[in-house]
Amino acid sequence: MEFKLPDLGEGITEGEVIKWMTREGDQVKEDQPIVEVMTDKVNVQIPSPRTGRVAKILVKEGELAKVGQTIMVIDEAGSATHSATPPAPAPKPAVAAPAQVQTSPPAPGVLAAPATRRLARELGVNIASVSGSGPSGRITDDDVRRSASGPNSSTVAIQASAVSPAEAPREEVVPLRGLRRTISDRMAKSLRTTAQVTHVDEADVTELVLLREALKGSAEKRGVRLTYLPFIIKALVPALKEFPYTNAALDDQGGSIILKKYYNIGIATDTEQGLVVPVVKDVDRKDIFELAGEIEKLSSKARSGQLSLDDVHGSTFTITNVGAIGGLFATPIINIPEVAILGLHKIAKRPVVREDKVEIRDTTYLSLSFDHRVFDGAYAARFTTRVIETIQDTKKLLAEVL
């Protein structure tokens, strides 16, 4: 039978074959994981739909395959039950065979994310020999690169002819693959297919800082770490309801704007492998402590490469938070097919004029990038103002967060 790349949902149209877990001639069993594929959402392991022998692998590791494209041919007549000559036993999978598509787990004894393992393969590094510097001994991309810099490195390098052989290479060529290529494609498509504009405004978050400090103890008793993000998410809810075109998608082919009546917030998360966007569902129905716990859980899964398809499915509006890193403000790129994204930035003490007096207050900048095809600048300004009003008013914020 022809084994085609299945429809993984969420509008996914293609995936990159990261790793084959079997070879031509091997026996495979139904539901045995046989291939790891990276989509524009998450890494998944895909199980075999049949028991049989692998007759042909048609897509190599590192190549893209379209949904519905044949990636392997399985000879069902060549299964162990039909073969005249007993075949060699199939390799034992690293994990129990799943009944459905699942995210890829780390191999036994080696803690490393899938993208880190792929980097090791590309650089010719035996990942089992690498010492991990991350939490619990997890191997990071930097650990792999340090190992690759030794005498057995297979890194592709270009050196100008005028450089002495004793000098280190002055350039390095890094293949644009995996999640980095996916991010590249999605960002370029977003800018190419939408009319993006960014609106920036300033918020006085002095009261928010005090409120978070007052509620941190309650959060700790619930076993969660309370950041500013849950407060911002709750401040978004009334604004998204009042300005529904911000919580929408544009159907170009159908010539319509789809207004979403549910509120699922994507959280752009920085990982060693690149940017991923786990989704907190139904934020209007959860208090800040529930949101804090869910954000913490999803962030941990993102950084360890364990997000499922459900974890990245169904966002209606996205937040990108770079406040902990620094910077005044930025112009975030819309997470298509959404029509807006809110950038959160560093909170700092700044001089503010209040009633003709200069005071030192905690302030931050909010940057809203939006698709001008769906709504205009005045609408974006009113939406951002509504968010800021809730953030700055303790009574309004308390009404939303608890």
Side-chain angles (χ1 to χ4, degrees), residues 352-359:
V352 175
V353 177
R354 286 166 53 102
E355 298 180 355
D356 294 329
K357 295 181 180 179
V358 177
E359 298 181 14

Side-chain angles (χ1 to χ4, degrees), residues 22-72:
T22 186
R23 295 172 296 178
E24 292 182 1
D26 286 350
Q27 293 290 327
V28 293
K29 296 181 180 179
E30 185 174 352
D31 290 335
Q32 173 186 329
I34 55 174
V35 63
E36 180 181 339
V37 175
M38 172 175 285
T39 73
D40 62 357
K41 297 286 186 179
V42 72
N43 280 29
V44 293
Q45 284 185 357
I46 301 177
S48 173
R50 296 285 190 274
T51 294
R53 181 181 62 84
V54 178
K56 189 73 174 177
I57 291 176
L58 301 175
V59 180
K60 298 178 182 179
E61 293 179 357
E63 292 182 346
L64 287 174
K66 300 287 186 181
V67 169
Q69 177 182 339
T70 301
I71 60 175
M72 171 192 276

Side-chain angles (χ1 to χ4, degrees), residues 125 130-134 137-148:
V125 173
V130 178
S131 298
S133 63
R138 179 174 294 278
I139 297 171
T140 67
D141 289 1
D142 287 341
D143 296 330
V144 171
R145 291 190 181 98
R146 278 193 292 270
S147 296

